[in-house]
Each structure stands twice: as structure tokens, then as C-alpha cells.
Amino acid sequence: MEIYELTVQELKEKLDKKEITSKEIFESYQARIQEKEKDIKAFVSLNDPKEIKENSIPIGIKDNINIKGTKTTCSSKMLENFVSPYSATVIEKLENENIISIGKLNMDEFAMGASTEYSYFQKTRNPWNLNRVPGGSSGGSAAAVASNMVPWALGSDTGGSIRQPASFCGVVGLKPTYGLVSRYGLVAFASSLDQIGPITKDVRDCAMLLNIISGHDEKDSTSAEKEKKDYMKNLEKDVKGLKIGLPKQYMGEGIHQEVKEKILEVAKKYEEMGAIVEECEFNCSEYALATYYIIACAEASSNLGRFDGIRYGYRAKEFSNLKELYKNSRSEGFGAEVKRRIILGTYVLSSGYYDAYYKKALQVRTLVKKEFERLFKTYDILLTPTAPSTAFEIGTKSNNPLEMYLADLCTVSINIAGLPAISVPCGIDSKGLPVGMQLIGKAFDEETILNAAYQYEKIEKFREKFRPEFKEK
Amino acid sequence: MQVSREEILHIANLADLNLKEEEIDTYLLHLQEILNFANIVNNAPIEKLGETIGVSEKVNAFRKDEIKEFKDKESLLQNAPEEEEHMFHIPKVI
């Protein structure tokens, strides 16, 4: 077995036994990047560490997380030449553990998209079928982990941007509870929804990475003051008696038949393991997607106001006054989808429409929260598909924004309520593409979804059975 | 709600964006489609429900009011599109 095929847990064990060195690990991944990157195009920039310390492990970082002294582009022309003056808290935490970035990973511009096609630089391709998208917006992170170009990666998730690409690429992705991981140093998209989280080869690595990046940070005022947990501790527990709700509304219209069938198989396997699975009602699913796009775009239109061509970022060459400098810089620096969302966000916040859209959306947000609270009185976790379909073909949705938004159908309500959710591969469809299942937990109860995910992964053995072919099909 | 050409140009101006003549129709079409879809929030049973702006239970996050100097001015100025004598260069405002 090649070094790049090992999980981080396996790498650590071999490092501890001195069977391999960190230098060999870095070299193995760098050689793998040389081999596969031309097909996958997952990286925006590569980092060749000058010195590799003992027990050091590489990682890939989504290009909206700042690492001091290196470029953070958000895959936008606006930030093409931006060099971070400081590091994100998650990066400092990783560096304290000798976990070092070997490259920044491609994404939809400013994390707005579900296919990574909205990157200014390149379209990342899905390792399972090079004609298909890797999902998004953390498509570079998921594709890099799936093709073994990095052992693990960080992504960010505002409405599904970790879980949906993890599902499309057959890897594990976790969106932590809002406030569990510091957002300091993450370029803001929608501040009340954004969270950084792990994308990994398996559930154990996911728990390990969450152990490292979680915890209170005074630099993020929304960071939760909770006691630090060990997410590895409960993985081995059995799931006997665990109550799992299967919301009907996420198994109905809009969900592909093969995806539904896989989720029902998962439910059956959980029952065989002793869990109790029951169909349940999630009564506000039809409002969640619209609510998400209203809130996310409203926040984005405000957050992206900072890109004005003055202190950093792209500045237009031609302008005759200050207002023109702002307008020309923003119009030339942002791509079409980002402008679309800024316009939508500005519209729903503007006088005359605020009450009809934004205020209503905030009230629906209360409704969604309450609906989850109601379900979690009965169930320990909820099971849904991660995405309505498997990976779609490149170019099929990029000119139809509304259709692209539907790819987030099963994931957005979790961000609206601030809950944790994990995507775990649960098989492949008839086209040979991975299907992902999503487990949703109570706030700050990552332990239970990680435990349930790990127990499922042990019997499904996805990584042993299936691997990407790197072919155009 | 029906969005007019004038309205989308007004909104773009508020957001400091130019729309090229040939882009206006596409942006208008997409915005209209998304708003038609978003209208569903008006059917939600939300009477008497409060607004949720965030999910954090915190009301305020206090810390000591201490000055921490950021000494690396160079790293900030290196991102300036135009710089002059250690200052950001902008066009004449007044």
C-alpha cells in the first residue's frame, strides 16, 4: 500500500512506531499531486514547506481560510493577489500540532455555489468521473481528499458546502455546530451560517481533526464557551437503542430514486445494528431553501461591501471619481454568481422589500429551529440524503442559478438552525458515483453523529469496496 | 413581486455594481425567478413568531479593553492596490 492511501490515523500509528518519517509522507503526497492534479485541478496554489519537522502531517486548506504570508484568493479575481497578513485561528491550532498546509484548494468564488464551477481560476473535476463536478463550494477540498492528494482537508459550510462535495466525492465531511469552531480568519460569506469543518477519508480522521480545530476563541465573538470534548472517545460505542428519525420530506419530491433507495438501505442496516428507525415529519422543509437564500444573500451583500478596491483586492484601471472606483473595481473583480447574490441580498434588504422577504425569512428561521427542537425531543439523530442526486455533469447547471440552488435542498436547514451534521458515503449508484447520507445531531452533540457514522462505516466498508477511477465517462 | 428594469438598476447602484446593457436582461430574469421561488416564505405559518438573527445563545461577548499593537504594517500595505509613503493612495475625494 502506498503512503498516500493511508488515513491520518494510520499515518500517526506508523510515525509513532517509526516505520515511516514525515519527510516520506510529504514526498508521497507531493508525488501524488504531480500525478493527479493535471486531471483534477483541485489546487489554487501549492506550498512546499522548507523544513519538515518530526511527526509533521500535511493538510489541504480551502482557499478562503487565511494562512499568514500566503495567498488567500477565495477563487476570485477580486483577491487574486491578496497575501494574508495573519493566520486563522484554525491554522494556528493545526500548526501547534505540526499539521502543515501543502496547498490551498479551489472553491466556488467566495463559497457561492454547489459545483466549484464558479471559481475564477479553473473547474475542478470529480475523481469518480472527470466529466462531473466535485460539488461545492468546497469542491477542491473534497476532490483532493478523494484523489489522495492530501490526507485530509479543511472546508467551510454555509449551506452545505462541506457535506455536499463530500457526498459527491465519496469522502466524509462534517459541519460542526455553529460556534464550535472559530471563524476568525475565514473570509466571511454569511456570518450567521458559516462554519469551518473537516473533510476526511474516514470518520475517525474526522473526529481527530475536529478535536484539533474546535474550542473557544475570544477573537470570534460568536465562538461558544463550551468545555472541550474528545470526539474520538465514543466512536466504538454500539448504536443499540439509538433513536433515528427519517424525515419524510427529505425522501420525497426532488430526491433521485437511487439516492432514496440507498438511504432506505442505510436505515435497514441501522435497524440490524439495534437502532430504532422511524419515519417522521419535518414540517417546514419547503420554506427552508428560500429562507436560506434570502438570509445568506442578505448577509453576503453586507459582508462583501468591504471589497471596494481601496485597501486590498482588485482595483479597476479606469475611473474618474471615488464612486466610479468602487463600482468599476467591484464590477470587474466579482464574477456573475457573486454579483447575482449581492443584488438579491441588496434587494431583500432594501426599503419596501425588507418586510416581505428578509423579516419573513428571519421568522421562518425561528420556525425551522423550533421544528428541529420538536424532533429532537423524540429522536437522538436524524437521517437524510446529503444531496438530492449524485454528482452532475459539468456545465449542466452553471447557467441556471435556481436549479443549482436545489442541490442544497437537504443541507441548508441545518445551517439555519446552527446544528451539526455529517455526510458519510453509503454506496455508489448505477453510474458508479458515490451517494452520501447525512446524519443531523442536536446542537453541540457531534459525539452522537460521529459515533453513529463510525458504526455504519465499519459495516459498509466503502473505502475497501470502491475507489475513484479518474476516467472521463 | 415584479421587478422592473429601473428597480434592478437602482439596486445595482446601491450595491456599487455596474450592469452592462447586455447583462441587464439576464440579471433581471434570474432575480425574478429566484424571487418567485422565495415568495414561498409568505405562506409559512409564522404568525406571532419572533425573528432569529443567529443561533448563538450569547447576548454579548466581552473581553478586556486592551490595546494589542499589530506591528506588521508592511504585510497590510503590501495588499494595497496603490500605496504612497506608507499610506493607501485613493483618488481625490473633495
Side-chain angles (χ1 to χ4, degrees):
Chain A
M1 199 185 241
E2 299 286 344
I3 291 175
Y4 59 70
E5 290 174 287
L6 301 170
T7 65
V8 177
Q9 171 79 17
E10 289 162 345
L11 289 175
K12 282 200 175 246
E13 281 164 12
K14 286 191 185 293
L15 277 173
D16 287 345
K17 289 187 206 150
K18 305 215 181 295
E19 290 171 12
I20 50 171
T21 65
S22 284
K23 195 164 171 281
E24 286 167 339
I25 297 174
F26 277 77
E27 281 169 1
S28 173
Y29 276 101
Q30 276 155 346
R32 181 69 174 174
I33 292 170
Q34 284 295 318
E35 184 194 340
K36 290 293 174 206
E37 174 59 5
K38 57 183 189 306
D39 286 337
I40 304 298
K41 300 189 172 75
F43 287 89
V44 174
S45 56
L46 288 167
N47 176 40
D48 193 1
K50 284 174 206 84
E51 179 205 10
I52 296 160
K53 286 190 190 144
E54 231 176 283
N55 293 322
S56 184
I57 285 182
I59 192 166
I61 305 290
K62 186 176 182 180
D63 208 17
N64 59 352
I65 299 172
N66 284 283
I67 305 176
K68 188 180 161 79
T70 68
K71 276 190 192 177
T72 302
T73 70
C74 289
S75 289
S76 178
K77 181 181 176 184
M78 182 58 88
L79 291 175
E80 195 174 3
N81 298 311
F82 180 79
V83 178
S84 308
Y86 63 92
S87 282
T89 297
V90 288
I91 297 300
E92 285 179 356
K93 283 174 182 280
L94 291 173
E95 286 173 356
N96 288 341
E97 303 285 328
N98 285 329
I99 299 164
I100 305 299
S101 166
I102 47 169
K104 299 299 287 291
L105 294 157
N106 199 26
M107 54 189 276
D108 285 296
E109 184 179 1
F110 284 102
M112 297 175 184
S115 69
T116 314
E117 290 169 287
Y118 296 139
S119 163
Y120 170 65
F121 302 112
Q122 68 217 7
K123 289 182 176 59
T124 297
R125 309 207 286 172
N126 191 316
W128 295 80
N129 179 342
L130 300 177
N131 289 332
R132 304 225 166 207
V133 302
S137 68
S138 312
S141 298
V145 173
S147 52
N148 287 326
M149 291 196 284
V150 295
W152 52 4
L154 286 185
S156 69
D157 190 314
T158 306
S161 280
I162 286 174
R163 291 159 286 158
Q164 184 257 19
S167 163
F168 279 16
C169 291
V171 294
V172 173
L174 174 88
K175 184 207 90 80
T177 308
Y178 186 81
L180 184 70
V181 177
S182 169
R183 291 182 295 112
Y184 181 76
L186 167 71
V187 179
F189 160 13
S191 308
S192 81
L193 304 163
D194 298 340
Q195 269 290 284
I196 296 172
I199 297 180
T200 57
K201 293 178 185 179
D202 69 2
V203 177
R204 191 179 279 278
D205 281 3
C206 183
M208 196 195 298
L209 191 46
L210 188 63
N211 271 353
I212 297 165
I213 62 172
S214 59
H216 178 249
D217 178 17
E218 69 165 19
K219 291 177 186 154
D220 171 2
S221 64
T222 59
S223 169
E225 288 176 65
K226 297 268 173 189
E227 210 175 301
K228 190 118 172 133
K229 284 185 185 172
D230 177 4
Y231 297 102
M232 308 276 287
K233 219 171 71 185
N234 283 333
L235 294 178
E236 296 289 351
K237 230 172 68 181
D238 65 46
V239 294
K240 283 196 185 82
L242 187 77
K243 291 198 81 177
I244 304 176
L246 187 65
K248 256 185 5 204
Q249 284 74 6
Y250 289 118
M251 291 292 278
E253 206 189 323
I255 311 291
H256 286 204
Q257 192 55 32
E258 282 194 76
V259 173
K260 270 189 245 181
E261 283 164 14
K262 281 276 175 271
I263 300 303
L264 290 174
E265 281 173 34
V266 173
K268 210 181 236 169
K269 284 183 184 162
Y270 272 119
E271 281 179 333
E272 285 164 15
M273 287 190 279
I276 303 150
V277 186
E278 271 174 22
E279 211 174 59
C280 61
E281 303 270 349
F282 184 75
N283 284 321
C284 50
S285 64
E286 70 264 46
Y287 313 117
L289 191 62
T291 297
Y292 168 77
Y293 274 96
I294 293 170
I295 293 173
C297 292
E299 292 187 23
S301 74
S302 166
N303 271 330
L304 271 63
R306 73 190 61 171
F307 298 101
D308 56 8
I310 300 292
R311 288 148 300 149
Y312 50 77
Y314 177 84
R315 179 182 285 193
K317 301 284 166 291
E318 284 173 36
F319 50 86
S320 54
N321 56 48
L322 192 62
K323 180 79 172 169
E324 258 186 49
L325 185 159
Y326 294 154
K327 285 179 94 171
N328 295 355
S329 300
R330 289 165 62 79
S331 305
E332 292 165 29
F334 289 138
E337 177 63 15
V338 174
K339 285 190 255 192
R340 195 149 45 224
R341 295 201 193 193
I342 292 175
I343 288 172
L344 177 67
T346 309
Y347 183 86
V348 298
L349 288 176
S350 67
S351 161
Y353 305 108
Y354 181 94
D355 285 345
Y357 292 105
Y358 186 63
K359 190 165 176 258
K360 288 266 163 54
L362 295 183
Q363 287 176 292
V364 177
R365 192 167 188 182
T366 310
L367 188 72
V368 172
K369 250 183 95 176
K370 282 182 181 294
E371 188 61 2
F372 274 117
E373 280 165 16
R374 183 183 69 80
L375 285 174
F376 282 124
K377 279 184 189 147
T378 312
Y379 303 105
D380 299 309
I381 59 171
L382 302 174
L383 166 67
T384 74
T386 306
S389 72
T390 52
F392 46 87
E393 276 177 48
I394 292 172
T396 49
K397 293 188 202 284
S398 50
N399 293 320
N400 188 339
L402 198 54
E403 210 178 303
M404 187 74 91
Y405 295 174
L406 290 173
D408 297 332
L409 188 67
C410 308
T411 43
V412 293
S413 57
I414 288 91
N415 299 70
I416 291 173
L419 301 174
I422 189 168
S423 177
V424 182
C426 62
I428 58 168
D429 71 1
S430 53
K431 297 189 192 84
L433 296 164
V435 180
M437 64 157 181
Q438 174 174 248
L439 299 175
I440 309 163
K442 296 174 191 165
F444 299 104
D445 189 16
E446 277 76 4
E447 281 163 304
T448 306
I449 51 172
L450 282 164
N451 169 230
Y454 180 73
Q455 291 302 319
Y456 174 81
E457 185 185 68
K458 265 204 324 200
I459 57 159
E460 172 60 39
K461 296 188 169 61
F462 181 86
R463 286 188 75 233
E464 287 173 35
K465 281 193 277 190
F466 311 108
R467 52 185 59 201
E469 288 180 342
F470 301 96
K471 282 186 186 142
E472 292 179 17
K473 285 193 236 173
Chain B
M1 252 170 263
Q2 204 63 36
V3 189
S4 67
R5 242 179 120 79
E6 289 68 37
E7 257 178 317
I8 199 166
L9 289 172
H10 169 65
I11 294 292
N13 185 50
L14 286 179
D16 280 337
L17 292 170
N18 303 317
L19 294 184
K20 287 184 201 138
E21 196 51 40
E22 65 269 25
E23 290 176 337
I24 299 174
D25 286 340
T26 317
Y27 275 99
L28 198 55
L29 176 77
H30 288 154
L31 180 65
Q32 193 64 63
E33 271 179 10
I34 299 165
L35 287 174
N36 290 346
F37 169 73
N39 270 332
I40 195 169
V41 296
N42 288 300
N43 304 337
I46 49 172
E47 271 167 57
K48 292 184 192 151
L49 279 185
E51 296 159 30
T52 299
I53 52 162
V55 288
S56 166
E57 285 160 14
K58 280 198 217 170
V59 179
N60 255 322
F62 292 109
R63 57 171 168 74
K64 282 197 180 135
D65 188 16
E66 287 167 339
I67 295 170
K68 283 180 195 159
E69 207 184 331
F70 186 85
K71 292 196 177 101
D72 192 5
K73 277 189 197 144
E74 290 303 319
S75 72
L76 295 177
L77 279 161
Q78 71 170 342
N79 285 310
E82 272 188 81
E83 181 215 340
E84 204 176 300
E85 292 178 20
H86 273 70
M87 286 181 280
F88 297 106
H89 191 146
I90 61 166
K92 196 173 169 186
V93 188
I94 316 169

